[in-house]
């Protein structure tokens, strides 16, 4: 008797690569890649007209240093708690030291800024500072400016910042400009 040889059934895999490729394209097109979010800061414009290096009076610079232990030191001498930082900044910025600011509510201290438009916040941190602590300090600086701007908007326009027109918002930002100097970290 003769053996009949049966052919094993085969699967046509010729289109399998096409299907895998189509699935790959489908997932690439339909997947969204979330954008990283960071701290929104407007970088200063390039200096178009000299003088580009302006000397700032030491009285108008508020120095903040976050050390490796995440302690906040202000003015190179006093260590304060994070909860005290916002009020300390508000007193410094809104000081009216030269008595030229008609909207300021400050105490006119000789050790604080002349007026809000000249106040500079200088932020420096140690290379080993915890990132979370650094961001919390940034948040307190932003909260101080937000409170000052909100108060100015209420007193001047009788409005909240969300309801201001573009021109009014520009005036509020000119009254209390956010001037932050971040000092480059020295790594050993």
């Amino acid at each position: 008797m003769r053996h009949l040889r049966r052919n094993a059934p085969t699967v046509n895999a010729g289109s399998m690569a096409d299907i895998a490729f189509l699935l790959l394209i489908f997932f690439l097109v339909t997947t969204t890649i979330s954008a990283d979010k960071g701290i929104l800061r407007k970088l200063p414009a390039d200096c178009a007209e000299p003088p580009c290096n302006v000397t700032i009076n030491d009285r108008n610079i508020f120095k903040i240093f976050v050390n490796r232990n995440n302690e906040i030191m202000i003015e190179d001498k006093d260590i304060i708690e994070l909860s005290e930082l916002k009020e300390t900044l508000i007193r410094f910025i809104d000081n009216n030291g030269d008595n030229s600011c008609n909207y300021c509510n400050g105490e006119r201290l000789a050790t604080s800024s002349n007026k809000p438009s000249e106040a500079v916040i200088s932020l420096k941190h140690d290379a080993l500072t915890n990132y979370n602590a650094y961001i919390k300090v940034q948040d307190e600086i932003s909260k101080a400016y937000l409170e000052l701007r909100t108060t100015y908007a209420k007193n001047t326009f009788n409005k909240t910042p969300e309801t201001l027109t573009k021109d009014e918002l520009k005036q509020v930002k000119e009254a209390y400009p956010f001037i932050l100097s971040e000092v480059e970290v020295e790594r050993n």
Side-chain angles (χ1 to χ4, degrees):
M1 204 170 160
R2 209 166 176 209
H3 264 289
L4 288 174
R5 200 168 188 187
R6 281 182 147 174
N7 289 339
T10 59
V11 177
N12 184 4
S15 64
M16 201 62 98
D18 294 338
I19 293 172
F21 184 69
L22 288 173
L23 283 173
L24 178 66
I25 289 176
F26 173 77
F27 286 117
L28 285 174
V29 170
T30 58
T31 303
T32 58
I33 299 173
S34 61
D36 290 337
K37 294 184 179 180
I39 300 173
L40 295 176
R41 294 282 188 253
K42 182 178 178 184
L43 296 175
D46 287 339
C47 182
E49 298 176 19
C52 295
N53 295 331
V54 178
T55 304
I56 300 172
N57 187 340
D58 283 340
R59 167 187 185 158
N60 294 319
I61 300 174
F62 188 83
K63 297 174 187 165
I64 303 172
F65 176 67
V66 185
N67 67 17
R68 66 182 59 212
N69 299 323
N70 301 322
E71 297 171 322
I72 302 166
M73 181 184 292
I74 58 170
E75 300 298 327
D76 298 328
K77 56 183 179 217
D78 299 326
I79 293 181
I80 64 169
E81 294 296 319
L82 181 67
S83 59
E84 302 173 68
L85 184 59
K86 182 178 88 166
E87 289 304 319
T88 306
L89 285 168
I90 289 172
R91 283 194 307 274
F92 173 81
I93 297 165
D94 208 28
N95 183 52
N96 196 16
D98 64 0
N99 203 20
S100 65
C101 178
N102 58 358
Y103 55 86
C104 295
N105 300 312
E107 302 170 12
R108 297 185 178 129
L109 300 173
T111 56
S112 292
S113 73
N114 287 333
K115 55 187 165 194
S117 62
E118 294 180 4
V120 176
I121 309 302
S122 175
L123 178 59
K124 184 177 180 179
H125 63 91
D126 190 90
L128 299 175
T129 299
N130 182 300
Y131 187 72
N132 191 29
Y134 181 75
I135 295 300
K136 285 180 180 180
V137 170
Q138 287 267 359
D139 287 344
E140 290 301 309
I141 296 169
S142 296
K143 286 178 191 177
Y145 274 99
L146 177 64
E147 186 172 316
L148 287 167
R149 288 175 173 180
T150 301
T151 303
Y152 180 81
K154 286 180 182 174
N155 293 341
T156 306
F157 304 111
N158 200 23
K159 294 180 178 181
T160 60
E162 299 83 30
T163 59
L164 294 173
T165 65
K166 277 188 173 183
D167 290 333
E168 292 168 340
L169 185 60
K170 183 179 177 186
Q171 186 177 339
V172 169
K173 287 181 178 182
E174 286 173 358
Y176 289 98
F178 192 107
I179 306 172
L180 177 66
S181 167
E182 295 188 50
V183 180
E184 188 175 339
V185 179
E186 298 170 8
R187 302 187 194 291
N188 296 336

